[in-house]
Amino acid sequence: MTVTQVPIEPTHDNPDVEHAVEHVDDAGAPSHPIHKVLSFVRRSARLDARLQRAWDNYADTYLLDIAAGNGPLDVREGFSLTKAYIHSIWGNDNPLIVEIGTGQGENVVAAAAAHPEINFLALEVYDPGVAHTLLLAGKQNLTNIRIAQVNAAELFKVTETGVLAEVWTFFPDPWPKKKHHKRRIVQPALADNIHRALRQDGVWRIATDIEDYALHVHEVMDHREGWENLGTVAVSLPLEHVGKGNADMADGMPHADFIESERFEGRVLTHFEKKGIDAGRVIHDFAYRANAL
């Protein structure tokens, strides 16, 4: 069997990528069956002095020690996100909202500041994003937010049933090449784990400015058992997927109407979202409610 090395593509908004390597055989299948397909690659960017000070000053207060510390940032052995653990960290039984991929932390910190009656957990894997979230939370001396530098998909596997009020996934990495679509964070397995982790009637909110990712979300979520699409807005999307090299073909493909949500009023306009709007991209919002199976 011949083993080749395929470089994993950098994200469109983060060029400082330390290229990871995926091993595949001649047929394109992973050569190691236990290899996990990750929705991220580790970045090697160093922290500037300001962000390093934020890390030094606030990590002990806000950063949870739940990762194993390896390359994929797996959850450490024996850890579970349980109701008891949540109470021990936040000191109350307030609803907990988890944001997957907080970026610079603008949204989750703004939400925590606006809603002291709600607890927030920010999941981010990249050091600069974690540090910036620490900085924003620390400057406001917020007490209802914590940060975990961990693989979200692995954390939801060990999250207790019914302990979360909502999950937010705003503007995830689009992995635009078709061969990398399997790396998109919204996947059936994650949807099942989030459904279990949410309390009944809990909501998974998703937003993207990539049309093809919107189609991907509909395919994963619209007919998934236990999920109800709460949207009321009809949008037209192509019925076929496109990749980075042929996205301009989407307009000529057959289209169909799909149902999406109004813009979530609890999401602030971040720098990243504004860039997408300024570039002429349409924002697609989704809200899926977890119903009893």
Side-chain angles (χ1 to χ4, degrees):
M1 178 177 67
T2 302
V3 175
T4 58
Q5 293 184 333
V6 181
I8 298 175
E9 174 185 298
T11 62
H12 67 292
D13 196 48
N14 294 282
D16 53 330
V17 173
E18 185 177 271
H19 283 247
V21 171
E22 179 184 7
H23 296 279
V24 297
D25 61 21
D26 304 62
S31 61
H32 302 291
I34 61 172
H35 173 78
K36 288 194 291 287
V37 176
L38 300 178
S39 62
F40 61 90
V41 291
R42 297 302 307 277
R43 283 163 172 70
S44 58
R46 296 178 180 177
L47 301 181
D48 61 27
R50 180 180 64 119
L51 293 181
Q52 187 61 59
R53 284 194 302 271
W55 196 293
D56 295 341
N57 291 336
Y58 301 123
D60 287 346
T61 300
Y62 293 109
L63 191 58
L64 300 181
D65 181 22
I66 64 175
N70 56 11
L73 289 177
D74 290 338
V75 178
R76 60 178 168 81
E77 187 175 356
F79 175 81
S80 296
L81 184 60
T82 64
K83 184 176 181 179
Y85 176 81
I86 293 168
H87 190 279
S88 73
I89 296 298
W90 278 270
N92 58 58
D93 294 318
N94 292 342
L96 177 60
I97 294 176
V98 177
E99 183 175 33
I100 302 173
T102 56
Q104 299 297 304
E106 298 166 86
N107 182 73
V108 71
V109 172
H115 296 282
E117 76 285 1
I118 299 176
N119 297 328
F120 291 86
L121 174 57
L123 304 181
E124 179 56 58
V125 296
Y126 306 122
D127 290 352
V130 172
H132 198 265
T133 307
L134 290 169
L135 177 62
L136 295 179
K139 287 174 66 176
Q140 299 181 69
N141 198 29
L142 299 179
T143 60
N144 60 330
I145 184 172
R146 296 293 185 274
I147 304 160
Q149 192 173 25
V150 70
N151 181 356
E154 297 300 308
L155 180 61
F156 281 102
K157 290 180 181 178
V158 296
T159 299
E160 188 177 26
T161 299
V163 297
L164 304 182
E166 294 192 1
V167 174
W168 296 348
T169 308
F170 299 144
F171 306 100
D173 191 325
W175 290 102
K177 289 187 177 180
K178 291 181 73 172
K179 67 180 180 179
H180 292 153
H181 287 183
K182 64 185 177 181
R183 296 184 174 276
R184 291 172 169 177
I185 187 68
V186 177
Q187 298 291 346
L190 180 65
D192 291 345
N193 286 326
I194 288 177
H195 185 279
R196 177 181 46 76
L198 284 170
R199 66 191 186 188
Q200 188 170 333
D201 297 329
V203 177
W204 187 8
R205 302 186 187 278
I206 305 169
T208 181
D209 61 351
I210 303 299
E211 185 178 68
D212 189 74
Y213 206 112
L215 177 63
H216 173 83
V217 172
H218 285 294
E219 290 177 342
V220 172
M221 295 297 297
D222 281 356
H223 302 291
R224 191 148 205 89
E225 186 179 7
W227 290 103
E228 179 184 356
N229 186 343
L230 299 179
T232 59
V233 179
V235 300
S236 179
L237 294 174
L239 291 174
E240 298 178 36
H241 283 284
V242 296
K244 189 173 183 178
N246 66 336
D248 57 346
M249 298 174 58
D251 288 345
M253 293 178 176
H255 281 54
D257 285 343
F258 295 83
I259 300 300
E260 297 178 2
S261 295
E262 298 281 357
R263 188 183 192 280
F264 174 45
E265 62 182 12
R267 189 178 77 246
V268 300
L269 182 63
T270 64
H271 175 69
F272 180 84
E273 182 175 354
K274 186 176 184 301
K275 282 176 61 177
I277 294 172
D278 290 345
R281 293 194 289 270
V282 175
I283 309 301
H284 299 265
D285 267 85
F286 307 84
Y288 292 95
R289 181 166 60 200
N291 296 330
L293 292 172

